[in-house]
């Protein structure tokens, strides 16, 4: 008896694969997402004219404090790090103590904070916008950049950190060191970081998925991956990027923004509760799906049709599992059996959160890619995927398969009926 990949659960966004009929198990996973927008204000806000201490603060003073923090992280000097917040409220000191502990657990290749602008200066405090830069040794090719806000105040003749920017409505970019006490698991080709459960199992699954993905897409990718596994679902959503909600998503491929004009660094965000509800098969499929996005740049792809991005990732995700097409496309099968076969390939809107046929959209996309592999070969599917990233969809179908979009759609409709009727 085949095992469906998950447990029943409501779906609010992007992806669900419902397997089987009547009490079917649901597998939830994230599509490719972009976590590339950083918070941050624009021009600096000047202090009140004539303020008695406004002229005494300069960004160089803040830079000196930040240099001490970076040195403390590098040298493992907790006392020196906490000295930079020694005049802050106890709650903020506790938060910074946890951050320091988490930073020391990460395989950091450089970590520094740079003042970008002075957001505000008044008679008592100065608020600065800070760019944090770091990279994870052995995994990141460039620096990741995050925005933070720090409030400084004069204490004992020097400026020192007394808080963040929340009192002025300024929100930091979230990063994994904002979790509770971190654990770090290093696999053969994976780095799994978080305070959520099952990090070792996630690392093992990712390690097993790398050769599967590589066997399809080739060796022209890093063949390694960083996964972030926070215990808190709200933090997982924040790691995924502005406007994201991972409450009903098992995992999401995202891009951590780069410093300057860099390409950014790939991350797989694992949503704690939803991933935990999946069975063994479901976890394998989800992580292979997301790893395919990492390998193909799906999280940063703005040209390839979404049905091809998601369908290709599902094709790879299901490649090593034993499950029938009728089970894997259970919701679509019920529609086909009722005489409601799809008439057109799913549009980008069909993959949006709240779409009434979200499950079916993924199943339709998967079967489109599966049809190409069955009839033209897996290599042709890969060529089609790559061609669609360079040229319009119609041109890619013509050049790789010799088909118009209308003919491709007709063949796909027939294939869906054959497989699911």
């Amino acid at each position: 008896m085949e095992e469906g990949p998950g447990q029943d659960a409501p779906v609010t966004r992007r992806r669900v694969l419902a397997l089987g009929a009547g009490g079917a198990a649901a597998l939830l996973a994230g599509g490719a997402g972009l976590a590339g927008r950083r918070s941050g204000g624009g021009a600096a806000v000047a202090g009140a004219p004539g303020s008695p201490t406004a002229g005494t603060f300069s960004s160089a003073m803040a830079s000196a404090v930040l240099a001490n923090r970076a040195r403390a992280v590098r040298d493992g000097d907790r006392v020196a790090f906490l000295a930079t917040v020694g005049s802050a409220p106890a709650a903020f000191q506790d938060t910074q103590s946890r951050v320091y502990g988490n930073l020391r657990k990460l395989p950091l290749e450089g970590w520094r904070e740079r003042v970008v602008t002075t957001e505000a200066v008044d008679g008592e405090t100065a608020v600065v916008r800070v760019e944090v830069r770091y990279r994870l040794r052995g995994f990141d090719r460039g620096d990741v950049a995050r925005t933070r806000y720090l409030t400084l105040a004069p204490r004992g003749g020097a400026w020192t950190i007394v808080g963040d920017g929340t009192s002025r409505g300024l929100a930091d970019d979230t990063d994994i060191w904002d979790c509770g006490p971190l654990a770090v698991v290093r696999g053969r080709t994976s780095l799994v970081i978080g305070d959520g459960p099952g990090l070792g199992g996630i690392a093992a699954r990712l390690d097993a998925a790398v050769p599967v993905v590589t066997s399809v897409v080739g060796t022209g990718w890093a063949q390694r991956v960083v996964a972030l596994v926070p215990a808190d679902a709200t933090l997982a959503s924040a790691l995924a990027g502005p406007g994201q909600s991972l409450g009903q998503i098992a995992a999401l491929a995202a891009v951590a923004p780069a410093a300057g004009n860099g390409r950014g660094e790939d991350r797989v965000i694992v949503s704690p509760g939803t991933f935990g509800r999946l069975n063994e098969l479901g976890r394998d499929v989800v992580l292979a799906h997301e790893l395919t996005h990492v390998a193909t740049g799906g999280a940063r792809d703005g040209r390839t049709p979404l049905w091809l991005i998601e369908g290709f990732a599902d094709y790879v995700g299901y490649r090593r599992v034993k499950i029938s097409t009728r089970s894997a496309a259970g919701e679509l099968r019920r529609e086909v059996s009722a005489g409601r076969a799809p008439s057109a390939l799913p549009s980008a809107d069909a993959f949006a959160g709240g779409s009434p046929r979200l499950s079916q959209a993924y199943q339709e996309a998967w079967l489109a890619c599966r049809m190409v592999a069955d009839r033209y070969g897996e290599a042709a599917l890969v060529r089609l995927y790559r061609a669609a990233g360079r040229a319009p969809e119609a041109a890619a179908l013509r050049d790789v398969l010799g088909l118009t979009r209308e003919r491709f759609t007709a063949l796909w409709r027939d294939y869906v009926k054959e497989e699911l009727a």
Side-chain angles (χ1 to χ4, degrees), residues 292-386:
T292 303
H293 287 319
V294 172
T296 58
R300 57 184 95 239
D301 189 341
R303 180 160 192 169
T304 305
L306 197 53
W307 68 262
L308 187 51
I309 290 176
E310 298 297 353
F312 184 75
D314 267 355
Y315 171 80
V316 179
Y318 277 113
R319 193 170 183 267
R320 60 173 173 161
V321 302
K322 293 182 179 179
I323 188 167
S324 71
T325 307
R326 290 170 60 85
S327 293
E331 291 185 345
L332 183 60
R333 176 179 59 82
R334 288 192 287 274
E335 290 187 351
V336 172
S337 298
R340 302 194 307 275
S343 59
L345 290 163
S347 67
D349 290 343
F351 297 93
S355 171
R357 297 184 69 256
L358 186 64
S359 305
Q360 293 92 324
Y362 277 92
Q363 293 159 10
E364 290 166 356
W366 171 56
L367 287 174
C369 291
R370 191 169 179 269
M371 179 195 74
V372 174
D374 283 353
R375 296 192 174 187
Y376 300 91
E378 187 174 270
L381 175 60
V382 175
R383 290 198 303 273
L384 176 64
Y385 188 97
R386 290 173 175 163

Side-chain angles (χ1 to χ4, degrees), residues 40-41 44-48 51 53-54 117-129 149-153 159 162-172:
V45 179
S51 174
T53 60
T117 61
T118 300
E119 295 290 319
V121 178
D122 59 30
E124 298 296 331
T125 61
V127 180
V128 294
R129 177 155 59 101
Y149 295 93
L150 294 173
T151 298
L152 295 91
W159 287 80
V162 295
D164 53 23
T166 53
S167 64
R168 295 180 181 268
L170 300 170
D172 293 345

Side-chain angles (χ1 to χ4, degrees), residues 202-222:
I202 291 171
R205 293 178 195 279
L206 288 170
D207 286 346
V210 166
V212 175
V213 173
T214 301
S215 70
V216 179
V217 306
T219 59
W221 67 291

Side-chain angles (χ1 to χ4, degrees), residues 15 21 30 39 51 92 120 133 149 167 185 195 203 230 250 264 296 343 349 384 398-399 405 419:
R15 168 172 158 75
S39 60
S51 174
F92 186 75
R133 293 190 179 193
Y149 295 93
S167 64
V185 175
D195 61 341
T296 58
S343 59
D349 290 343
L384 176 64
R398 181 192 65 239
D399 294 346
R405 194 178 196 278
E419 293 292 313

Side-chain angles (χ1 to χ4, degrees), residues 16-31:
V16 61
L17 300 177
L19 306 185
L27 177 155
L28 296 85

